[in-house]
Amino acid sequence: MKTFALVGRNISYSFSRRYFAEKFAQEKITDCQYINFDIPTIEALPALIRATPTLVGMNVTIPYKEAVLPLLDQQSEELVAIKACNTIKIGSSGQLKGYNTDYIGFRDSLVPYLKPHHNRALILGTGGASKAVAFALSQLGIPYQLVSREASSVALSYHELTKEVIQSHFLIVNTTPLGTSPKTEEFPPIPYQWITREHLLYDLIYNPEKTTFLAKGEVQGATILSGYPMLVLQAEAAWKIWNSEQ
């Protein structure tokens, strides 16, 4: 029996465990199980790994995508650049190699909707998820501007989002948790009145499928995308890594 796990905190709701349970059932994969490692701190992870000898791979979610990095023995080339890990493969001698498949999921779910005028992006949030989005946009040749609650040398504050800024960035990506169930009434404080039909709004949140951020963009005529397709694509990329010979 091979064991896979999701590492996170307060993850009883998690997409990953449900997704892989359904995948194993549908594809008649009988020698695999997927469990949750719901831990209060990242320091609890090494003992869980030692106590689970059949463990061969892990997904990592909030709030440990960056905190897990010091525990890794190796990092993929993409992870070195992104500095946020969401996939770990455990080698035959127990070594941990980290990867990021979030950028793959985001990139591959976004590309079918891109139009020539989606040539500049605003990334709302500066956490681990934003790093994967930024890496994917760089791969696609799309310049981006980070937005955070407080202005910094690398980020605009929400207060600095003028009409000119909004209407010169036709791709807006929410990487914050604002609007996640059960707090579905929350949303990033951008000036939605300046969103147009030319805009593409992408929310990494998948529960609910249509966040308030997306709903407010839809009212303005924007194209909207939820985070669910990204989750499926990043999960399948992780599955491929776990089952590769590398």
Side-chain angles (χ1 to χ4, degrees), residues 73-108:
D73 300 300
Q74 294 176 272
Q75 297 186 21
S76 70
E77 187 177 336
E78 293 81 7
L79 181 54
V80 170
I82 296 170
K83 298 182 176 63
C85 173
N86 79 314
T87 300
I88 297 172
K89 182 174 183 177
I90 302 176
S92 54
S93 57
Q95 71 274 23
L96 306 182
K97 183 169 183 180
Y99 300 82
N100 186 295
T101 64
D102 281 334
Y103 86 92
I104 298 171
F106 172 73
R107 181 195 65 201
D108 292 357

Side-chain angles (χ1 to χ4, degrees), residues 192 201 203 210-221 224:
Y192 293 90
L201 270 55
D203 201 328
K210 187 188 290 184
T211 58
T212 301
F213 166 73
L214 293 180
K216 290 170 83 70
E218 187 177 46
V219 167
Q220 298 294 115
I224 60 171

Side-chain angles (χ1 to χ4, degrees), residues 5-14 17 34-42 44-45 48 58-59 61-64:
L6 176 67
V7 180
R9 190 166 67 216
N10 301 326
I11 51 174
S12 58
Y13 67 89
S14 85
R17 188 175 185 180
Y34 195 102
I35 61 177
N36 281 353
F37 285 164
D38 200 325
I39 53 178
T41 67
I42 198 64
L45 183 58
L48 277 175
M58 293 178 283
N59 292 124
T61 189
I62 294 171
Y64 300 131

Side-chain angles (χ1 to χ4, degrees), residues 18-224:
R18 184 175 71 251
Y19 178 81
F20 279 105
E22 291 173 357
K23 177 182 176 68
F24 297 158
Q26 290 169 0
E27 299 182 20
K28 296 181 172 55
I29 298 170
T30 57
D31 62 341
C32 295
Q33 64 175 345
Y34 195 102
I35 61 177
N36 281 353
F37 285 164
D38 200 325
I39 53 178
T41 67
I42 198 64
E43 286 74 25
L45 183 58
L48 277 175
I49 295 173
R50 288 193 296 272
T52 315
T54 56
L55 189 67
V56 294
M58 293 178 283
N59 292 124
V60 184
T61 189
I62 294 171
Y64 300 131
K65 290 185 181 185
E66 294 166 290
V68 77
L69 294 177
L71 301 182
L72 301 175
D73 300 300
Q74 294 176 272
Q75 297 186 21
S76 70
E77 187 177 336
E78 293 81 7
L79 181 54
V80 170
I82 296 170
K83 298 182 176 63
C85 173
N86 79 314
T87 300
I88 297 172
K89 182 174 183 177
I90 302 176
S92 54
S93 57
Q95 71 274 23
L96 306 182
K97 183 169 183 180
Y99 300 82
N100 186 295
T101 64
D102 281 334
Y103 86 92
I104 298 171
F106 172 73
R107 181 195 65 201
D108 292 357
S109 58
L110 173 68
V111 164
Y113 296 90
L114 286 177
K115 295 180 179 177
H117 65 272
H118 296 135
N119 54 7
R120 293 174 78 189
L122 293 176
I123 301 176
L124 310 181
T126 55
S130 75
K131 294 176 172 63
V133 168
F135 185 81
L137 292 176
S138 295
Q139 283 194 323
L140 296 170
I142 300 174
Y144 59 85
Q145 172 63 60
L146 296 172
V147 182
S148 190
R149 284 171 293 187
E150 296 183 10
S152 69
S153 59
V154 297
L156 295 176
S157 72
Y158 287 102
H159 297 298
E160 294 175 293
L161 296 180
T162 62
K163 179 179 181 180
E164 182 182 7
V165 172
I166 294 294
Q167 295 189 351
S168 60
H169 294 79
F170 287 116
L171 173 60
I172 304 178
V173 185
N174 177 38
T175 72
T176 78
L178 292 170
T180 306
S181 181
K183 297 181 179 180
T184 57
E185 74 285 352
E186 295 182 348
F187 55 88
I190 68 171
Y192 293 90
Q193 68 270 27
W194 294 323
I195 299 294
T196 70
R197 298 179 66 85
E198 301 298 306
H199 278 86
L200 172 57
L201 270 55
Y202 191 124
D203 201 328
L204 268 56
I205 293 169
Y206 66 94
N207 183 21
E209 189 171 351
K210 187 188 290 184
T211 58
T212 301
F213 166 73
L214 293 180
K216 290 170 83 70
E218 187 177 46
V219 167
Q220 298 294 115
T223 301
I224 60 171

